[in-house]
Amino acid sequence: MKLFTRLDRYIIKKFLGTYVFSILLIISIAVVFDFNEHIDKFTTNNAPWEGIIFTYYANFIPFYSNLFSSLFVFISVIFFTVKLADNSEIIAMLAAGVSFKRLMWPYMLGAGIIATVSLSLSLWIIPEGQKDSVAFQAQYFKGNQLIDYDEHIYRQLEPGTYAYIRGYSPGTGRVPFFAIERYEGSEMVEVLNAASATFEEETGRWTAPRYVIY
């Protein structure tokens, strides 16, 4: 049995063609909406067109294409398989002696190609590009609250006691996670976890409506 036939090429072409078309369509819409949202900041802060195109959007497109990739693999498989069935092509394949198990082979090949591209983007291309993109946003997206944001903050309150804050934004004073950890030597003996907490400037203290101590 041949592992790669004309039928396999036909199905893979349909699969990848539908996938690429779907991704290009949604990313085109995303770019238009994003540009419309940020055009004021581009013009106000005199962002160069070269930077907008080749730094910001050249990294925006691979990032969101890879982010939505799994969803559009699912949509593409359903869409073009329904199209094959609607044209009675699957019936013809089965009548020619192609089993459902054999019919899955080009699907797996197509998925393998997409997975390889997605893995390459995730490991090498996107991480390198995001460094330039983040620097561009920090320079030209002034006033954007998303830039004024600390993902992880660790502070020692006193010897053996540490506070951990995740997702702190000075604009709101709220965090989605707050923890206080107490250690004796290198062993953690007690921890307080709060799903949310708010910093009160008047008292200089953190308040948490619900918390758990372990």
Side-chain angles (χ1 to χ4, degrees):
M1 181 180 63
K2 294 182 179 180
L3 292 179
F4 197 74
T5 64
R6 181 180 298 179
L7 176 62
D8 296 326
R9 290 194 296 270
Y10 176 74
I11 293 178
I12 291 174
K13 182 180 178 181
K14 290 285 187 180
F15 183 5
L16 297 182
T18 306
Y19 169 78
V20 171
F21 176 79
S22 302
I23 286 289
L24 289 178
L25 182 63
I26 194 65
I27 290 301
S28 299
I29 296 172
V31 168
V32 170
F33 276 94
D34 185 82
F35 182 78
N36 184 63
E37 180 182 353
H38 294 123
I39 188 171
D40 290 340
K41 292 178 181 177
F42 290 148
T43 55
T44 302
N45 298 314
N46 298 317
W49 282 104
E50 294 81 1
I52 295 172
I53 297 171
F54 297 108
T55 299
Y56 181 67
Y57 283 111
N59 294 294
F60 177 95
I61 292 172
F63 177 80
Y64 283 99
S65 296
N66 195 53
L67 182 66
F68 296 128
S69 179
S70 300
L71 173 62
F72 282 95
V73 167
F74 174 72
I75 293 174
S76 300
V77 168
I78 293 177
F79 183 81
F80 92 87
T81 302
V82 169
K83 193 71 173 177
L84 291 177
D86 188 54
N87 294 334
S88 301
E89 294 177 85
I90 293 181
I91 295 176
M93 295 173 194
L94 296 176
V98 179
S99 64
F100 279 112
K101 184 177 180 180
R102 178 62 180 82
L103 196 59
M104 289 298 297
W105 173 242
Y107 284 78
M108 298 303 296
L109 287 176
I113 293 172
I114 295 174
T116 301
V117 174
S118 180
L119 189 62
S120 300
L121 288 172
S122 298
L123 293 180
W124 295 292
I125 298 176
I126 292 175
E128 287 297 321
Q130 282 298 302
K131 293 188 292 186
D132 297 331
S133 181
V134 169
F136 178 88
Q137 294 179 59
Q139 182 176 359
Y140 296 108
F141 284 14
K142 295 175 182 178
N144 190 341
Q145 291 186 352
L146 294 176
I147 303 301
D148 191 13
Y149 178 88
D150 289 317
E151 179 67 22
H152 302 285
I153 299 176
Y154 294 91
R155 293 291 186 272
Q156 181 176 1
L157 303 180
E158 59 185 36
T161 304
Y162 299 86
Y164 166 62
I165 300 169
R166 184 173 67 212
Y168 175 67
S169 175
T172 62
R174 297 180 180 179
V175 294
F177 183 80
F178 181 87
I180 297 179
E181 302 168 350
R182 190 165 64 85
Y183 291 84
E184 290 183 359
S186 60
E187 182 180 357
M188 181 189 297
V189 295
E190 188 178 55
V191 59
L192 180 149
N193 287 340
S196 64
T198 304
F199 180 72
E200 298 181 353
E201 295 185 359
E202 295 79 5
T203 61
R205 295 177 178 273
W206 288 90
T207 59
R210 294 179 298 276
Y211 60 88
V212 178
I213 299 177
Y214 299 97

